[in-house]
Amino acid sequence: MENIKDIPQEKFTFVGDKNLSHDVKLETKPRSYLRDAFGRFCKNKGSVVAACIIIILVLFAIITPWCTQYKVSDEDVNFGFTKPKLHLFENTNFWDGCTEKTESYQNYVYYYAIGNELIGTASESSAHFVIKNQEYTITENNLYKYRLDSYHTTGTIYKQIDSKTYQLLQQYQNETNRQVLYPTLRLKDRPTTIQDSNNANYYYQTKMVSGKTVPVLDENGNVIPAYWTVVDGEQPDNYNSIRIEGENGFQQDGNTYFYVYGRPVSGGDYEVRINYYEYYIFYHSYVLKDGITEPYFPFGATDSGKDILTCLASGARFSFIFAISIALVNMFIGAIWGAVAGYYGGAIDLTMERITDILSAIPMMIVITLLKYHMKESSQTLIMFLAFIATGWIGMASTVRMQFYRFKNQEYVLASRTLGAKDFRVMFKHIFPNSLGTLVTSCALVIPSMIFSETSLSYLGIINLESGNITSVGTLIAAGQPFLTTYPHIVAFPSVFLALLMLSFNLFGNGLRDAFNPTLRGAEG
Amino acid sequence: MYMFKYVLKRLCLMLICFAVIMVMCFVLIKMLPIVVEGGASVDKNKFYFELEARRYIQNLQYDGSGNVIAFDNVPVLEQLGLYLKRIFMDGDFGIGMKISEYRNKPVWDAFVSRLPPTVLINVYSSVIGVPIGLGLGILAALKKNTWIDHVISTGVIVLISVPSIVYALLILYVLCFKWQLFPLRMDAGTDYLSWSMFKSMMPATLSLCLGSIAGYARFTRAELTEVLTSEFMLLARTKGLTRGQATVRHALRNSMVPIFPSILSEFVAVLSGSLIIEQMFSIPGVGRLYLDSINYMDYDFFMLLSGFYCLVGLAAGIIVDISYGFIDPRIRMGAR
């Protein structure tokens, strides 16, 4: 303290050199609102998983319709109720398109005989056995246990084709060495009952036992074929293609005999016995050339033989597009309505509120029914679109209105008005962006409820969306419910899809709501 | 007194709202063309005469063999006046036109005869659902963040999110078909209180109450956890109450304040039921009747049932609002 008077000059330095400025640049990165929200969202593990599932489901809906060989309108009754089958599990007893059956010998031999006819033919190589691999086990009480392949239960059918198709079929057989045509039977050799006389799977001798058609068995328990045989030179069928094993003009009593493959009917047409599975491949790849190579239904087929995978994906895609477009339109209407009501307040607000009160009290069912009655000629999609818009915007409007009440008297808004901004500018440039966060969240929450309402309405049959290449998840569930006990796979896949979708959308929506709520910042510790 | 005025005001507003909706509905319905369908066995003239007697149509014109071929519509407002007059003077809501079961019969009688199954199923569902839901919610709140809570909360989220269509199908397949605990369809007949009828109603009841169990469990858990962490609970404990006493006397009662109104409204909503469940389990209830009236375009049925559903919805909403005022002393409705 004593030598304060004579401090050496060199001890003095300029303040400016020491960099005493207090405006230190922040070291940390600024956190924007969105980034903050995203961080909070990621902390919620359930929501992240849900978001991933939603992305997968959306991708499924977008991509699958292009990948499958079928379209929604493709149907084939002969493949109705086909069980789900994946090539991946073909050699296991799971997801292989088969049903486990335990039945008496009489029922077993019907299916066994269908497969037995193929043994030794060109089709055997691709394993067209109705009973998987022709394998069975006999249970204690003398029942036969086997796996029934739903792709081949149709077996063979009688079909009338014109002579041109007949030749084309033979040409196809010669080219690909796949047998489609099988020896046919005389009319008198077919089963006598009405329901069985057209069943081409009875290619063997049958008899009637208490009103049912049962096969005549030889001493080994095998069926005895009853094909139409003619002496060489008397063939009526003009057939010149591959024949079944052991029948290449066989000798008997000094004559050469042939099986007949096509029964001529009036008009130069032929009635032939075809293996339907092979015919399907022929018809789609050789005649229609529509990209369908072989019957393959990963999720099974409906009662009318539509591919469930294709229908489900197309239905889901439709539902997504539909829900999102409705949410956007509702957001647009709700934003304008809520903005006007919230900004002007007073009598205008009161009037508009009463109108929304009444509108929101109208049950959805009444709206959609009245629209349906009055717009009979319009498409069902349009009706549903209008019905969802008619009352759907009210929630959005009240969200926006609330935000407008909060922000319309803030200083920056007053400043903007003082500077002469028009109402419109104040409303949509200054106040509206504040309500965007909550609006987007409620939009995300509205999408699953939209999908749910759409599903229930089509389930109840009030709206029938199925037309052309459009279907919906609800339509699928409704169509499959009558067969719930016998063919549960028809409803199972759409139901699982719907359940997964709703569950993940709910979790995702909850996460999003928490993420956009800044008051929760740091709350989770 | 302000309370009474408030209730009165709300009731009046509700009635106005209801009236506006119904008038809109009536006018829109009456603008539709009248189509009398039916095969050769149906005497169409009978319907036209019936319609004329109710002044839905007038100036009938006949062809040579006495069949009605043309008619004029009565002005809609006149029809509305007559419709209201018939309802209030005679309790006559119109006649069935299209649903073969109720053709040419009063719709009100049909409606009343369809009420018991719907009400019974909903009552069973509430009786089962409310206590289980509350119980699970209380359990989850008391054992917060233990495995019990996690299990209950996960189940609740699943049940709330998964639509009732899916778990109704599951119940139908597993309980009714695979395990054969219940019949696949509801028993026929009107002996609604018998044991076999009760059993056959169970699948639908279960499907209905799963959703409400989940709803109540979630609501109760949220409310109770909030109350349990409040300061008066700490005070109660410091006064010397055991944890059980404090929970039952202070926490539970307070948490019931927001829950009770929704239970009350559930008992109003008992009347309406669920269209999906009734359709799926083929219950001959009001919902099925409503669906039939929509599909067959039976206007008088549609008017009556729309009014009914609309009224039930509005009443449930109002009961929730008003009962808050009665139950929660902190809320003074309508006070300035």
Side-chain angles (χ1 to χ4, degrees), chain A residues 365 373-374 452 459 502 506, chain B residues 28 161 163 275 280 293-294 297:
Chain A
M365 216 47 122
Y373 285 170
H374 278 275
F452 175 58
Y459 173 76
M502 301 300 284
N506 264 321
Chain B
L28 285 172
S161 316
L275 293 178
M280 187 165 287
S293 79
I294 290 172
M297 294 179 69

Side-chain angles (χ1 to χ4, degrees), chain B residues 263-276:
Chain B
I263 296 178
L264 265 186
S265 78
E266 166 140 352
F267 275 92
V268 175
V270 149
L271 290 167
S272 60
S274 155
L275 293 178
I276 288 179

Side-chain angles (χ1 to χ4, degrees), chain A residues 384-437:
Chain A
M384 202 153 76
F385 193 78
L386 289 179
F388 280 140
I389 287 174
T391 53
W393 53 268
I394 292 172
M396 303 273 189
S398 69
T399 315
V400 176
R401 177 176 166 272
M402 221 156 63
Q403 295 292 322
F404 266 73
Y405 261 94
R406 255 176 77 186
F407 288 99
K408 71 174 178 187
N409 286 327
Q410 299 248 322
E411 284 78 5
Y412 75 94
V413 175
L414 295 177
S416 162
R417 270 161 74 177
T418 320
L419 286 170
K422 292 271 186 305
D423 281 350
F424 187 81
R425 188 181 163 82
V426 176
M427 275 153 79
F428 290 100
K429 187 91 186 164
H430 296 294
I431 309 181
F432 183 68
N434 288 304
S435 58
L436 217 53

Side-chain angles (χ1 to χ4, degrees), chain A residues 135-204:
Chain A
E135 284 168 0
Y136 61 91
T137 50
I138 301 171
T139 59
E140 295 152 14
N141 31 13
N142 239 353
L143 292 176
Y144 282 71
K145 196 172 154 192
Y146 55 93
R147 291 185 70 76
L148 186 70
D149 193 331
S150 55
Y151 281 79
H152 302 296
T153 33
T154 305
T156 50
I157 62 163
Y158 289 118
K159 194 173 176 66
Q160 281 202 18
I161 51 176
D162 55 26
S163 56
K164 209 176 131 205
T165 320
Y166 188 51
Q167 295 304 327
L168 201 64
L169 252 171
Q170 295 181 32
Q171 188 190 335
Y172 167 80
Q173 285 195 141
N174 295 338
E175 276 174 23
T176 56
N177 197 28
R178 296 180 80 109
Q179 187 150 11
V180 182
L181 296 164
Y182 282 83
T184 188
L185 274 75
R186 282 175 205 271
L187 283 179
K188 68 176 176 58
D189 292 331
R190 298 182 188 174
T192 44
T193 54
I194 297 160
Q195 69 265 31
D196 287 334
S197 60
N198 268 323
N199 188 339
N201 289 324
Y202 291 111
Y203 64 90
Y204 37 78

Side-chain angles (χ1 to χ4, degrees), chain B residues 243-316:
Chain B
R243 191 165 178 232
Q245 284 172 324
T247 310
V248 173
R249 289 184 199 168
H250 294 278
L252 259 187
R253 281 192 192 177
N254 276 301
S255 67
M256 278 304 128
V257 166
I259 296 169
F260 194 68
S262 61
I263 296 178
L264 265 186
S265 78
E266 166 140 352
F267 275 92
V268 175
V270 149
L271 290 167
S272 60
S274 155
L275 293 178
I276 288 179
I277 301 290
E278 290 198 6
Q279 171 81 355
M280 187 165 287
F281 294 95
S282 43
I283 310 246
V286 184
R288 282 284 295 283
L289 191 62
Y290 195 37
L291 276 181
D292 283 347
S293 79
I294 290 172
N295 288 331
Y296 292 105
M297 294 179 69
D298 204 321
Y299 302 145
D300 280 347
F301 267 117
F302 181 71
M303 269 309 288
L304 171 66
L305 295 174
S306 296
F308 169 69
Y309 276 109
C310 195
L311 198 62
V312 167
L314 284 168

Side-chain angles (χ1 to χ4, degrees), chain A residues 10 42 47 78 105 175 179 205 237 244 248 303 326 328 361:
Chain A
E10 63 271 19
C42 285
S47 306
N78 286 311
Y105 185 73
E175 276 174 23
Q179 187 150 11
Q205 294 178 22
D237 56 350
I244 62 167
N248 217 348
D303 53 331
I326 283 181
L328 287 180

